[in-house]
Amino acid sequence: MHHPLIEWSFIAIGVVFVFVSLWPSYKKAHHKLKPLLIAGCGFGLIALGRLDLNELWEVANTVTGALMVSVAHYVNWKLLRATGNHTNCKS
């Protein structure tokens, strides 16, 4: 994409979705900030990738940031399984 407003809008919507996804688990189940911090760092890298330094900078930061957001969801899932509060988990 080459329209900054659309790109930043997608990033903002992603932040909202991740927050809505991770916050209830933090608040009601495991009370660990780790998934939220990992996701925050991931979105920070995605935002850094939006700086127009060069294409490698953009791709490296965007991919690394997206992987970190994915890892945040995985860590959250593992914490939920450890607390036994995840109703959809099968052992």
Side-chain angles (χ1 to χ4, degrees):
M1 283 192 251
H2 294 286
H3 197 284
L5 182 60
I6 293 173
E7 293 171 352
W8 284 107
S9 296
F10 276 111
I11 293 170
I13 290 168
V15 168
V16 170
F17 282 144
V18 166
F19 185 77
V20 167
S21 174
L22 298 178
W23 182 256
S25 303
Y26 164 76
K27 197 72 175 158
K28 295 178 184 173
H30 54 70
H31 308 290
K32 306 273 191 227
L33 281 174
K34 189 174 184 179
L36 293 168
L37 293 175
I38 294 170
C41 290
F43 276 108
L45 284 174
I46 292 170
L48 278 175
R50 301 309 320 133
L51 299 175
D52 286 328
L53 299 180
N54 62 39
E55 189 173 340
L56 179 61
W57 173 267
E58 178 181 359
V59 170
N61 282 302
T62 302
V63 169
T64 305
L67 287 172
M68 287 183 74
V69 172
S70 298
V71 167
H73 283 287
Y74 176 75
V75 168
N76 187 61
W77 177 71
K78 293 296 277 186
L79 288 170
L80 282 172
R81 285 182 55 107
T83 62
N85 288 332
H86 194 272
T87 58
N88 294 327
C89 284
K90 304 282 191 253
S91 294

